[in-house]
Amino acid sequence: MSTPTKFLLDESKMPTHWYNIQADLPKPAPAVLHPGTLQPVGPDDLAPLFPMELILQEVSTEREIPIPEPVREVFRLWRPSPLFRAHRLEKLLGTPAKIYYKYEGVSPAGSHKPNTAVPQAWYNAQAGIKKLTTETGAGQWGSSLAFAGALFGIDVTVFQVRVSYDQKPYRRALMETYGARCIASPSNETNSGRAILEKNPNHPGSLGIAISEAVEIAATHDDTKYALGSVLNHVLMHQTIIGQEAIAQLEMAGDDPDVIVGCTGGGSNFAGIAFPFIGQQLRGGKKRRIVAVEPAACPSLTRGKYAYDFGDTGHLTPLTKMHTLGSTFTPPGFHAGGLRYHGMAPLVSHLKELGLIEAVAYHQTQCFQAGVSFARAEGIVPAPEANHAVLGAIEEAMRCKREGKAETILFNLCGHGHFDMSAYISYASGQLVDQPYDESELAMALAGLPSVPA
Amino acid sequence: MSTPTKFLLDESKMPTHWYNIQADLPKPAPAVLHPGTLQPVGPDDLAPLFPMELILQEVSTEREIPIPEPVREVFRLWRPSPLFRAHRLEKLLGTPAKIYYKYEGVSPAGSHKPNTAVPQAWYNAQAGIKKLTTETGAGQWGSSLAFAGALFGIDVTVFQVRVSYDQKPYRRALMETYGARCIASPSNETNSGRAILEKNPNHPGSLGIAISEAVEIAATHDDTKYALGSVLNHVLMHQTIIGQEAIAQLEMAGDDPDVIVGCTGGGSNFAGIAFPFIGQQLRGGKKRRIVAVEPAACPSLTRGKYAYDFGDTGHLTPLTKMHTLGSTFTPPGFHAGGLRYHGMAPLVSHLKELGLIEAVAYHQTQCFQAGVSFARAEGIVPAPEANHAVLGAIEEAMRCKREGKAETILFNLCGHGHFDMSAYISYASGQLVDQPYDESELAMALAGLPSVPA
């Protein structure tokens, strides 16, 4: 083929700043509230959990925030990540569309998560912190923070949702290989965990519960802080290195996307690819379609309520306004563990309310079908989460085929599926089914949202 | 740090030719013999198994053989692969040595194996072949050929050593995701397999047995050919793209290696990194130390006999002169499944006899210790096979430290360990032990070598 397959940026072209979309918003996102006073939280409220540099990033409205050189030095292990033109997939689909994908699976942990794990670990190390706690579902985030902790001499403790802890021993082994301690959640190590276990000793766990446990440890130990892998403003901002690189790489390709697709759980990989492009538009640039793809079994953007809610099940976090299924909602046990969260990042939710992004929801069997087609055409086996973005991109490409349009589609392939092959085994054997959520449970969870006066 | 971490070649700099070391040998390697006549085999003898283009490559003495453009087009999915300077590992070791590693785990299958799987599948497709059989141990090779088959519309059947088939369902799932059929070996599908199962229905299998099964199917079916992932001359030559890229990348780095390290099972990744450098030396260039690292539990280069032997247990292959432990030797079940082969590639064996390479053997616990240190410093979790090269490089770096020498060390990190985390679990839990081979079994296997007059 005459046109290149991949577009690599030189290390010297790696972005030097994160892009902060808060600088360009037509109106600011609603304030984060203290659950007791219902007043906006200040930096001091968050200080038990995060180092001050990250708290300042959380509320900053500076457009560009410099990436510290020691963080960029680590990023050079895998960044700039490659951008691929999916020639073989285009041919398979017979579409006039051009499909590009940014591939974040080249990181040591196999996903986009180290983009924020490394700076979070570094800022904590700079603040003299020696211990970090966090939660993880499938393990993408936990293994990323474990990796980052190993680099900066920080002890990392990961509360992993029990069902994943039991089903995915290899992700746990990866965390332990990097030197982290991994605990099945709910656990007996926290009040939040014990309260759950008292009611149900065999509770399978959830991200909301694991967050409560990790936050509790950090809040009650002076030498320990907490790290979150998605949802928060500064976490999403750390991921914007993805979209910034993609902009430079598409310039190399002489192309400009019409549609940008990402999968959404907490919202971080989606924000990473999309925010720099949305920023261009907000500053008067090209208007593009931005499509968030979420699991039909946990559809916060398409079926949730835009309301103030807690980030965790134990109600230890502040209240944020977001698309939520309710903090007590337990999604079915589908395979994209990284998308099994009841809420959506406040910034992503705000953009949805502003009409700047679209959202669709797909069931997992469709997503795996798309992922297998992608693997056979392009070689890379996507993570179950990334399969949602693959299907979203394929749907757009097929629309282009029907409409005879040669649009340019960009999607974020946020991670590989090497640690998720049990899901592919289920799919291949026909045992993978679509599990709808329980409508009455959703109704109950939404009815239980905290009451916050407008 | 002031010096870069990784060195990336542009796609346009990807090698256009394979390097054939047979052009530069001071004396040619011994002929391959027909086991019945003990006369050198000709192309026609090999025609039932391989397409003619590959047979011609096997015996060619041309120095450069062009890489077909459709093969290079596939290579662009991951090639040129990155070369890394291991800054963090150097610091950890406190060595004055510079350590570089070429990383082949960026391929879709996670190792160097697609470098030969893709051209082998392509040459077969060009010859009109619709079906390929092969064997695999841990699954690196099987998944690579499955990937290559998917690209060129070839049905791939993989005979996987039963113990790996049972212990590593995720590698099998990867092969099946690419569309291949995977059969536990010994199986009831071949005479060779049935003969083994009659004696022992629970036989754990071996690479030698799986080769017999795959060869038998190809030899008895007109529409089917066979593909081998290592050992043969053309397979080693396909891997020389690794060393050629490394030469260009080290030039970018302004460096020149004094020591080159690779792990050896059949010999292909070692040949890939080493042969282009040895070729420079044979043509009057710099003399370097070239170190092959093999498992102490299957030490063909350090403990085997340089003699004519079969490549398989069922004695269906021609006889090649190589360092061998005897085709009936069954190595202990250590975790580096890709290194569990009784023989060594004839070309690597020949270079050893010519004094152009060195060999050392290490036990697996030492190798895993090195691998965990590497993962915590550099992020990448190596495959158990690659851990041998990691340890070899660390040993050289520590020697440099003792001797106060700032030598430059290059090693080949031939694959990642994402599908081998059960081995890391064993290591972390202290259950991984060093399994010496059975001395009396080795003696018996060597006593049973075929008698070939000098």
Side-chain angles (χ1 to χ4, degrees):
Chain A
M1 292 175 200
S2 51
T3 48
T5 298
K6 68 180 177 312
F7 301 87
L8 296 174
L9 286 181
D10 191 74
E11 280 186 17
S12 63
K13 304 274 180 62
M14 189 166 67
T16 55
H17 293 69
W18 289 299
Y19 167 64
N20 181 9
I21 199 167
Q22 294 186 86
D24 292 320
L25 289 174
K27 68 174 192 178
V32 175
L33 303 183
H34 188 287
T37 64
L38 298 187
Q39 295 302 305
V41 298
D44 289 349
D45 295 311
L46 298 172
L49 297 186
F50 304 108
M52 195 49 66
E53 282 292 323
L54 292 176
I55 294 171
L56 294 176
Q57 288 182 6
E58 185 69 14
V59 297
S60 170
T61 53
E62 291 291 313
R63 182 172 293 133
E64 295 198 321
I65 293 184
I67 306 175
E69 184 48 34
V71 170
R72 297 180 76 236
E73 178 54 32
V74 176
F75 282 172
R76 291 187 182 99
L77 288 170
W78 74 95
R79 303 212 72 87
S81 71
L83 177 83
F84 290 93
R85 171 86 184 268
H87 289 300
R88 286 182 181 72
L89 181 64
E90 291 169 16
K91 202 176 153 191
L92 180 75
L93 301 175
T95 178
K98 290 189 249 184
I99 306 175
Y100 291 88
Y101 58 98
K102 181 76 169 162
Y103 183 41
E104 292 292 312
V106 292
S107 82
S111 77
H112 64 294
K113 294 292 189 189
N115 295 335
T116 182
V118 173
Q120 288 194 54
W122 185 80
Y123 283 115
N124 274 286
Q126 288 300 105
I129 301 304
K130 301 288 182 204
K131 296 182 186 175
L132 276 173
T133 61
T134 197
E135 72 292 325
T136 203
Q140 293 275 19
W141 166 244
S143 51
S144 300
L145 194 68
F147 155 65
L151 296 177
F152 298 117
I154 293 182
D155 280 345
V156 175
T157 300
V158 183
F159 288 90
Q160 184 171 23
V161 176
R162 180 177 291 278
V163 60
S164 294
Y165 181 94
D166 291 337
Q167 285 176 356
K168 302 207 169 181
Y170 291 179
R171 267 280 170 207
R172 173 157 48 97
L174 183 60
M175 294 183 234
E176 290 170 351
T177 297
Y178 287 135
R181 181 171 170 234
C182 191
I183 300 167
S185 166
S187 79
N188 274 313
E189 308 217 0
T190 65
N191 291 331
S192 337
R194 284 186 289 268
I196 304 271
L197 289 176
E198 265 174 36
K199 289 184 202 159
N200 179 2
N202 299 313
H203 197 291
S206 74
L207 270 178
I209 294 168
I211 292 174
S212 294
E213 293 207 90
V215 165
E216 183 183 323
I217 295 285
T220 54
H221 292 74
D222 281 346
D223 63 347
T224 306
K225 300 257 182 235
Y226 166 72
L228 187 66
S230 189
V231 179
L232 298 176
N233 300 347
H234 70 273
V235 178
L236 272 57
M237 186 186 72
H238 293 162
Q239 296 293 352
T240 58
I241 194 166
I242 301 172
Q244 291 184 72
E245 287 179 3
I247 288 172
Q249 288 165 311
L250 283 161
E251 272 171 20
M252 288 169 68
D255 238 323
D256 194 354
D258 302 294
V259 189
I260 295 165
V261 179
C263 65
T264 45
S268 77
N269 95 80
F270 172 78
I273 190 99
F275 281 11
F277 288 98
I278 297 174
Q280 289 183 332
Q281 177 180 333
L282 290 172
R283 296 191 301 278
K286 175 176 170 177
K287 173 152 176 51
R288 303 174 175 96
R289 288 184 50 232
I290 314 279
V291 182
V293 184
E294 62 181 10
C298 191
S300 58
L301 273 175
T302 56
R303 298 292 309 277
K305 189 171 168 185
Y306 185 58
Y308 273 101
D309 197 6
F310 290 97
D312 71 323
T313 307
H315 295 180
L316 303 178
T317 69
L319 294 172
T320 51
K321 196 159 187 184
M322 58 183 177
H323 290 87
T324 179
L325 302 165
S327 66
T328 60
F329 176 79
T330 303
F334 59 91
H335 279 286
L339 309 183
R340 292 180 70 237
Y341 185 62
H342 68 273
M344 180 50 58
L347 281 174
V348 173
S349 294
H350 185 57
L351 292 172
K352 176 77 163 42
E353 289 302 301
L354 293 173
L356 290 163
I357 65 171
E358 308 169 28
V360 292
Y362 295 123
H363 282 291
Q364 66 176 351
T365 50
Q366 300 172 273
C367 294
F368 273 90
Q369 186 178 23
V372 169
S373 298
F374 183 84
R376 293 183 186 180
E378 296 288 318
I380 299 165
V381 177
E385 293 82 3
N387 280 343
H388 290 74
V390 172
L391 178 57
I394 289 177
E395 289 289 330
E396 291 295 330
M398 296 311 284
R399 176 189 56 75
C400 288
K401 185 177 182 177
R402 286 193 303 275
E403 298 176 355
K405 288 183 179 166
E407 292 182 15
T408 297
I409 300 163
L410 167 67
F411 77 94
N412 195 26
L413 190 68
C414 61
H416 63 61
H418 296 169
F419 292 91
D420 305 286
M421 295 311 296
S422 64
Y424 280 90
I425 293 173
S426 296
Y427 172 73
S429 65
Q431 286 166 9
L432 194 80
V433 292
D434 293 330
Q435 298 164 286
Y437 57 84
D438 184 324
E439 290 279 359
S440 64
E441 192 192 337
L442 175 60
M444 205 156 69
L446 289 176
L449 285 176
S451 173
V452 177
Chain B
M1 292 178 197
S2 51
T3 49
T5 297
K6 68 180 177 310
F7 301 88
L8 296 174
L9 287 180
D10 190 76
E11 280 186 18
S12 63
K13 303 274 180 61
M14 188 165 66
T16 55
H17 292 71
W18 289 299
Y19 167 65
N20 181 10
I21 199 167
Q22 295 186 85
D24 291 320
L25 290 174
K27 68 176 193 177
V32 175
L33 304 182
H34 189 286
T37 64
L38 299 185
Q39 295 302 304
V41 298
D44 289 349
D45 294 311
L46 298 173
L49 296 187
F50 304 107
M52 195 48 68
E53 282 293 323
L54 291 176
I55 294 171
L56 295 175
Q57 288 183 5
E58 185 69 15
V59 297
S60 171
T61 52
E62 291 291 314
R63 181 173 294 132
E64 295 197 322
I65 294 185
I67 307 175
E69 183 48 34
V71 170
R72 297 180 76 237
E73 177 54 31
V74 175
F75 282 172
R76 291 188 183 99
L77 288 171
W78 73 95
R79 301 211 74 86
S81 71
L83 177 82
F84 289 93
R85 170 87 183 268
H87 288 298
R88 285 181 181 73
L89 181 63
E90 292 170 16
K91 201 175 155 192
L92 179 74
L93 300 175
T95 178
K98 290 189 246 184
I99 306 175
Y100 290 89
Y101 58 98
K102 180 77 168 161
Y103 184 42
E104 291 293 311
V106 292
S107 81
S111 78
H112 64 295
K113 294 292 188 188
N115 296 334
T116 182
V118 173
Q120 288 195 54
W122 186 79
Y123 284 115
N124 274 286
Q126 288 300 105
I129 301 304
K130 301 286 183 207
K131 295 182 186 174
L132 277 173
T133 61
T134 196
E135 73 293 324
T136 202
Q140 292 274 18
W141 166 243
S143 52
S144 300
L145 194 69
F147 156 64
L151 296 176
F152 298 117
I154 293 182
D155 280 345
V156 174
T157 299
V158 182
F159 288 91
Q160 183 171 22
V161 176
R162 180 177 292 278
V163 61
S164 295
Y165 182 94
D166 291 337
Q167 284 176 358
K168 302 204 170 185
Y170 291 178
R171 267 280 171 209
R172 172 157 49 97
L174 183 59
M175 295 184 232
E176 290 170 351
T177 297
Y178 287 135
R181 181 171 168 234
C182 191
I183 300 166
S185 167
S187 79
N188 274 311
E189 308 218 359
T190 66
N191 290 331
S192 337
R194 283 185 291 267
I196 303 273
L197 288 177
E198 265 173 37
K199 288 184 202 158
N200 178 2
N202 299 314
H203 197 292
S206 73
L207 270 179
I209 295 168
I211 293 174
S212 294
E213 294 208 271
V215 165
E216 183 182 323
I217 295 285
T220 54
H221 292 75
D222 282 346
D223 63 348
T224 306
K225 299 256 183 238
Y226 167 71
L228 187 65
S230 189
V231 178
L232 298 176
N233 301 347
H234 70 273
V235 178
L236 272 54
M237 185 184 73
H238 293 161
Q239 296 293 352
T240 59
I241 193 166
I242 301 172
Q244 291 184 72
E245 287 179 2
I247 288 172
Q249 288 165 313
L250 283 161
E251 273 171 20
M252 287 169 68
D255 238 322
D256 195 354
D258 302 293
V259 189
I260 295 164
V261 179
C263 65
T264 45
S268 77
N269 95 80
F270 172 78
I273 190 98
F275 281 11
F277 288 98
I278 297 174
Q280 288 184 332
Q281 176 180 334
L282 291 172
R283 297 191 303 276
K286 174 175 171 178
K287 175 152 175 51
R288 304 175 175 95
R289 289 183 50 234
I290 315 278
V291 182
V293 185
E294 62 181 11
C298 191
S300 57
L301 273 174
T302 55
R303 298 293 309 278
K305 188 170 169 186
Y306 186 57
Y308 273 101
D309 196 6
F310 291 97
D312 71 323
T313 307
H315 295 180
L316 302 177
T317 69
L319 294 171
T320 51
K321 195 158 186 183
M322 58 182 178
H323 291 88
T324 178
L325 302 164
S327 66
T328 61
F329 176 79
T330 303
F334 59 89
H335 278 286
L339 309 183
R340 293 180 69 237
Y341 185 61
H342 69 273
M344 180 49 59
L347 280 174
V348 172
S349 294
H350 185 57
L351 292 172
K352 176 75 164 43
E353 290 300 301
L354 293 172
L356 290 164
I357 66 171
E358 309 169 27
V360 292
Y362 294 124
H363 281 291
Q364 67 177 351
T365 51
Q366 301 172 272
C367 295
F368 273 90
Q369 187 179 22
V372 169
S373 298
F374 183 84
R376 292 184 187 181
E378 296 287 318
I380 299 165
V381 177
E385 293 81 2
N387 280 342
H388 290 73
V390 172
L391 178 56
I394 289 177
E395 290 289 329
E396 290 295 329
M398 296 311 284
R399 176 190 56 74
C400 288
K401 185 178 181 176
R402 286 192 304 274
E403 298 175 356
K405 286 182 180 168
E407 293 182 14
T408 297
I409 300 163
L410 167 67
F411 76 94
N412 195 25
L413 189 70
C414 61
H416 63 61
H418 296 171
F419 292 92
D420 305 285
M421 295 311 297
S422 63
Y424 280 90
I425 293 174
S426 296
Y427 171 72
S429 65
Q431 287 166 10
L432 194 80
V433 292
D434 293 330
Q435 299 163 286
Y437 57 84
D438 184 326
E439 290 280 359
S440 65
E441 192 192 336
L442 175 60
M444 203 157 68
L446 289 176
L449 285 176
S451 172
V452 177

mmCIF file of all heavy atoms in Angstrom, chain A residues 291-309:
data_model
loop_
_atom_site.group_PDB
_atom_site.id
_atom_site.type_symbol
_atom_site.label_atom_id
_atom_site.label_comp_id
_atom_site.label_asym_id
_atom_site.label_seq_id
_atom_site.Cartn_x
_atom_site.Cartn_y
_atom_site.Cartn_z
ATOM 1 N N VAL A 291 -18.097 10.630 19.862
ATOM 2 C CA VAL A 291 -19.033 9.579 20.274
ATOM 3 C C VAL A 291 -18.453 8.774 21.441
ATOM 4 O O VAL A 291 -17.399 8.147 21.316
ATOM 5 C CB VAL A 291 -19.351 8.629 19.094
ATOM 6 C CG1 VAL A 291 -20.366 7.573 19.531
ATOM 7 C CG2 VAL A 291 -19.858 9.423 17.891
ATOM 8 N N ALA A 292 -19.180 8.802 22.560
ATOM 9 C CA ALA A 292 -18.830 7.969 23.716
ATOM 10 C C ALA A 292 -19.599 6.663 23.624
ATOM 11 O O ALA A 292 -20.815 6.675 23.449
ATOM 12 C CB ALA A 292 -19.177 8.696 25.012
ATOM 13 N N VAL A 293 -18.878 5.535 23.742
ATOM 14 C CA VAL A 293 -19.523 4.225 23.658
ATOM 15 C C VAL A 293 -19.471 3.568 25.039
ATOM 16 O O VAL A 293 -18.391 3.359 25.588
ATOM 17 C CB VAL A 293 -18.828 3.315 22.630
ATOM 18 C CG1 VAL A 293 -19.595 1.995 22.487
ATOM 19 C CG2 VAL A 293 -18.704 4.015 21.286
ATOM 20 N N GLU A 294 -20.637 3.255 25.567
ATOM 21 C CA GLU A 294 -20.668 2.659 26.904
ATOM 22 C C GLU A 294 -21.360 1.306 26.862
ATOM 23 O O GLU A 294 -22.042 0.968 25.895
ATOM 24 C CB GLU A 294 -21.368 3.608 27.888
ATOM 25 C CG GLU A 294 -22.815 3.903 27.575
ATOM 26 C CD GLU A 294 -23.414 4.873 28.599
ATOM 27 O OE1 GLU A 294 -22.666 5.448 29.409
ATOM 28 O OE2 GLU A 294 -24.641 5.037 28.584
ATOM 29 N N PRO A 295 -21.175 0.496 27.896
ATOM 30 C CA PRO A 295 -21.813 -0.819 27.936
ATOM 31 C C PRO A 295 -23.310 -0.687 28.226
ATOM 32 O O PRO A 295 -23.699 0.078 29.115
ATOM 33 C CB PRO A 295 -21.095 -1.541 29.085
ATOM 34 C CG PRO A 295 -20.551 -0.467 29.945
ATOM 35 C CD PRO A 295 -20.307 0.726 29.074
ATOM 36 N N ALA A 296 -24.119 -1.421 27.484
ATOM 37 C CA ALA A 296 -25.562 -1.363 27.690
ATOM 38 C C ALA A 296 -25.937 -1.859 29.079
ATOM 39 O O ALA A 296 -27.011 -1.535 29.585
ATOM 40 C CB ALA A 296 -26.273 -2.201 26.618
ATOM 41 N N ALA A 297 -25.051 -2.628 29.716
ATOM 42 C CA ALA A 297 -25.347 -3.160 31.048
ATOM 43 C C ALA A 297 -24.986 -2.179 32.164
ATOM 44 O O ALA A 297 -25.276 -2.431 33.328
ATOM 45 C CB ALA A 297 -24.606 -4.478 31.253
ATOM 46 N N CYS A 298 -24.344 -1.055 31.814
ATOM 47 C CA CYS A 298 -23.979 -0.063 32.823
ATOM 48 C C CYS A 298 -23.968 1.315 32.156
ATOM 49 O O CYS A 298 -22.943 1.968 32.059
ATOM 50 C CB CYS A 298 -22.616 -0.396 33.424
ATOM 51 S SG CYS A 298 -22.197 0.573 34.902
ATOM 52 N N PRO A 299 -25.152 1.757 31.697
ATOM 53 C CA PRO A 299 -25.239 2.881 30.745
ATOM 54 C C PRO A 299 -25.431 4.234 31.427
ATOM 55 O O PRO A 299 -26.495 4.846 31.304
ATOM 56 C CB PRO A 299 -26.458 2.493 29.905
ATOM 57 C CG PRO A 299 -27.359 1.759 30.888
ATOM 58 C CD PRO A 299 -26.467 1.139 31.922
ATOM 59 N N SER A 300 -24.425 4.722 32.110
ATOM 60 C CA SER A 300 -24.600 5.964 32.869
ATOM 61 C C SER A 300 -24.947 7.155 31.968
ATOM 62 O O SER A 300 -25.838 7.942 32.287
ATOM 63 C CB SER A 300 -23.348 6.259 33.700
ATOM 64 O OG SER A 300 -22.209 6.354 32.871
ATOM 65 N N LEU A 301 -24.269 7.283 30.820
ATOM 66 C CA LEU A 301 -24.497 8.461 29.968
ATOM 67 C C LEU A 301 -25.839 8.396 29.251
ATOM 68 O O LEU A 301 -26.474 9.432 29.020
ATOM 69 C CB LEU A 301 -23.378 8.592 28.930
ATOM 70 C CG LEU A 301 -22.114 9.352 29.339
ATOM 71 C CD1 LEU A 301 -21.075 9.264 28.232
ATOM 72 C CD2 LEU A 301 -22.422 10.828 29.654
ATOM 73 N N THR A 302 -26.260 7.176 28.868
ATOM 74 C CA THR A 302 -27.496 7.073 28.083
ATOM 75 C C THR A 302 -28.734 6.803 28.931
ATOM 76 O O THR A 302 -29.845 7.076 28.489
ATOM 77 C CB THR A 302 -27.377 5.967 27.003
ATOM 78 O OG1 THR A 302 -27.031 4.731 27.637
ATOM 79 C CG2 THR A 302 -26.328 6.312 25.962
ATOM 80 N N ARG A 303 -28.555 6.248 30.120
ATOM 81 C CA ARG A 303 -29.723 5.934 30.938
ATOM 82 C C ARG A 303 -29.659 6.512 32.349
ATOM 83 O O ARG A 303 -30.617 6.422 33.104
ATOM 84 C CB ARG A 303 -29.924 4.402 31.038
ATOM 85 C CG ARG A 303 -30.201 3.694 29.707
ATOM 86 C CD ARG A 303 -31.566 4.076 29.126
ATOM 87 N NE ARG A 303 -32.650 3.929 30.084
ATOM 88 C CZ ARG A 303 -33.279 2.798 30.365
ATOM 89 N NH1 ARG A 303 -32.933 1.680 29.743
ATOM 90 N NH2 ARG A 303 -34.247 2.766 31.256
ATOM 91 N N GLY A 304 -28.507 7.057 32.727
ATOM 92 C CA GLY A 304 -28.367 7.601 34.075
ATOM 93 C C GLY A 304 -29.007 8.972 34.202
ATOM 94 O O GLY A 304 -29.477 9.575 33.238
ATOM 95 N N LYS A 305 -29.038 9.455 35.433
ATOM 96 C CA LYS A 305 -29.595 10.778 35.721
ATOM 97 C C LYS A 305 -28.447 11.753 35.926
ATOM 98 O O LYS A 305 -27.428 11.395 36.524
ATOM 99 C CB LYS A 305 -30.440 10.659 36.996
ATOM 100 C CG LYS A 305 -31.268 11.890 37.309
ATOM 101 C CD LYS A 305 -32.244 11.608 38.445
ATOM 102 C CE LYS A 305 -32.860 12.919 38.944
ATOM 103 N NZ LYS A 305 -33.712 12.699 40.119
ATOM 104 N N TYR A 306 -28.574 12.967 35.424
ATOM 105 C CA TYR A 306 -27.539 13.986 35.656
ATOM 106 C C TYR A 306 -27.851 14.642 36.994
ATOM 107 O O TYR A 306 -28.771 15.464 37.088
ATOM 108 C CB TYR A 306 -27.540 15.003 34.515
ATOM 109 C CG TYR A 306 -26.416 16.014 34.617
ATOM 110 C CD1 TYR A 306 -25.079 15.607 34.659
ATOM 111 C CD2 TYR A 306 -26.685 17.375 34.650
ATOM 112 C CE1 TYR A 306 -24.054 16.522 34.751
ATOM 113 C CE2 TYR A 306 -25.670 18.302 34.736
ATOM 114 C CZ TYR A 306 -24.344 17.865 34.789
ATOM 115 O OH TYR A 306 -23.321 18.792 34.876
ATOM 116 N N ALA A 307 -27.124 14.244 38.012
ATOM 117 C CA ALA A 307 -27.473 14.652 39.369
ATOM 118 C C ALA A 307 -26.252 14.556 40.266
ATOM 119 O O ALA A 307 -25.262 13.904 39.918
ATOM 120 C CB ALA A 307 -28.579 13.738 39.915
ATOM 121 N N TYR A 308 -26.318 15.187 41.430
ATOM 122 C CA TYR A 308 -25.252 15.032 42.414
ATOM 123 C C TYR A 308 -25.305 13.633 43.013
ATOM 124 O O TYR A 308 -26.374 13.136 43.357
ATOM 125 C CB TYR A 308 -25.395 16.078 43.525
ATOM 126 C CG TYR A 308 -24.702 17.384 43.181
ATOM 127 C CD1 TYR A 308 -25.428 18.494 42.727
ATOM 128 C CD2 TYR A 308 -23.315 17.489 43.311
ATOM 129 C CE1 TYR A 308 -24.790 19.674 42.411
ATOM 130 C CE2 TYR A 308 -22.674 18.677 42.990
ATOM 131 C CZ TYR A 308 -23.404 19.774 42.545
ATOM 132 O OH TYR A 308 -22.772 20.932 42.225
ATOM 133 N N ASP A 309 -24.129 13.007 43.137
ATOM 134 C CA ASP A 309 -24.076 11.665 43.738
ATOM 135 C C ASP A 309 -22.686 11.432 44.325
ATOM 136 O O ASP A 309 -21.728 12.159 44.032
ATOM 137 C CB ASP A 309 -24.379 10.591 42.675
ATOM 138 C CG ASP A 309 -24.745 9.236 43.296
ATOM 139 O OD1 ASP A 309 -24.882 9.153 44.541
ATOM 140 O OD2 ASP A 309 -24.887 8.261 42.528
#
